[in-house]
Amino acid sequence: MKKRYTMNATKMLIMGIAAIIGLAGALYLCLSPQFRRQEIHKCATTNENWQTGTLTETEKAVQEFLPQKTELVRLAVWVNHQDDPASKGVLRLTVYDTQGHSLAVCDRETAGLTSGAWEWFDVNVKITVGETYYFSLEIIGEETSLTAVYRPLWLDRIEENVQYFYDGELIEGASAACQYCYRLPLTITEICIYTAFSLFFTFAVGELIYRAMRKRHKSER
């Protein structure tokens, strides 16, 4: 009777530890950004691809936008090399607010960019839905013939984009060819799934440990 009580107490201890580990694992899954869903808002596909003038440190392409989610993970843009793939300049994408405070600055070697294709930049910024923000494209260092691609706003049909500028001048009815990738907040369902999965796994491991201990105990009797 005493031995049975001891084994039951051991099992309760093992399962208690498993529950703590399982809850800790669930908390890790919920807090880790890599386990949260992402959502991409992409401008419409169209053949109407226009280009700004050459990008420089002073002649920038600027898109005004209103974010639809609170965590902007990545931004994608289209650029054009103008038959100058050997360029050694640096393309800089900057995200900033209405006060001009930089939220993210991303640099890419222009020689590694693909002309007429999506180029992704990791920005990872927390922003406020409905407030106005901007992202700019410019060339740092050696001058290049790189241009930014934009489209008619009415064709792009992208909720975020508002006004588009080049060299400080408004381009009427223009919209940057771009994509916004957001990280979504956890839902109650996702929290329950992560918790159930983590507890199931740790309880299963705990049960295997208990059975191994019980088998060893019987063999020693």
Side-chain angles (χ1 to χ4, degrees):
M1 184 70 179
K2 185 177 179 180
K3 291 181 179 179
R4 181 178 296 177
Y5 173 79
T6 301
M7 291 306 297
N8 287 339
T10 300
K11 183 174 184 179
M12 290 180 63
L13 177 62
I14 292 173
M15 291 307 175
I17 295 173
I20 294 172
I21 295 174
L23 292 174
L27 183 62
Y28 171 77
L29 292 175
C30 290
L31 295 180
S32 298
Q34 62 266 30
F35 295 107
R36 287 166 55 188
R37 291 181 300 119
Q38 294 184 357
E39 180 176 284
I40 294 177
H41 291 192
K42 180 180 179 181
C43 59
T45 301
T46 172
N47 292 325
E48 297 291 340
N49 293 324
W50 302 335
Q51 299 174 46
T52 64
T54 302
L55 298 174
T56 68
E57 290 190 48
T58 56
E59 298 171 317
K60 306 177 184 180
V62 178
Q63 177 63 63
E64 177 184 356
F65 70 97
L66 300 172
Q68 303 299 304
K69 307 290 180 182
T70 58
E71 290 188 56
L72 181 60
V73 183
R74 296 185 298 156
L75 261 170
V77 296
W78 267 35
V79 293
N80 195 304
H81 273 299
Q82 300 297 309
D83 299 322
D84 184 22
S87 171
K88 296 181 181 179
V90 173
L91 176 64
R92 172 167 294 175
L93 182 146
T94 304
V95 179
Y96 56 95
D97 60 21
T98 53
Q99 283 74 46
H101 300 143
S102 294
L103 305 178
V105 179
C106 307
D107 290 343
R108 294 277 299 277
E109 296 289 338
T110 56
L113 301 176
T114 303
S115 187
W118 293 116
E119 295 291 347
W120 285 97
F121 292 80
D122 295 325
V123 293
N124 292 308
V125 295
K126 291 189 177 181
I127 46 188
T128 303
V129 174
E131 289 192 3
T132 300
Y133 295 88
Y134 302 86
F135 74 81
S136 63
L137 292 172
E138 62 184 299
I139 293 296
I140 303 297
E142 182 177 325
E143 291 188 4
T144 71
S145 59
L146 201 73
T147 62
V149 175
Y150 66 95
R151 297 163 173 175
L153 181 60
W154 69 273
L155 283 178
D156 253 358
R157 299 191 300 278
I158 186 168
E159 293 180 285
E160 282 82 354
N161 289 357
V162 186
Q163 299 184 105
Y164 192 65
F165 304 85
Y166 172 70
D167 192 19
E169 299 291 330
L170 172 67
I171 303 179
E172 293 287 349
S175 170
C178 62
Q179 298 185 56
Y180 300 87
C181 179
Y182 299 102
R183 182 178 292 122
L184 302 180
L186 281 175
T187 64
I188 297 298
T189 300
E190 288 173 327
I191 293 173
C192 291
I193 290 173
Y194 287 153
T195 302
F197 170 79
S198 186
L199 287 175
F200 174 81
F201 178 78
T202 54
F203 281 149
V205 172
E207 181 66 25
L208 290 175
I209 293 173
Y210 171 72
R211 290 184 180 183
M213 292 177 64
R214 186 178 179 183
K215 184 177 180 180
R216 180 180 178 182
H217 177 74
K218 286 183 176 180
S219 65
E220 292 176 351
R221 291 175 59 181

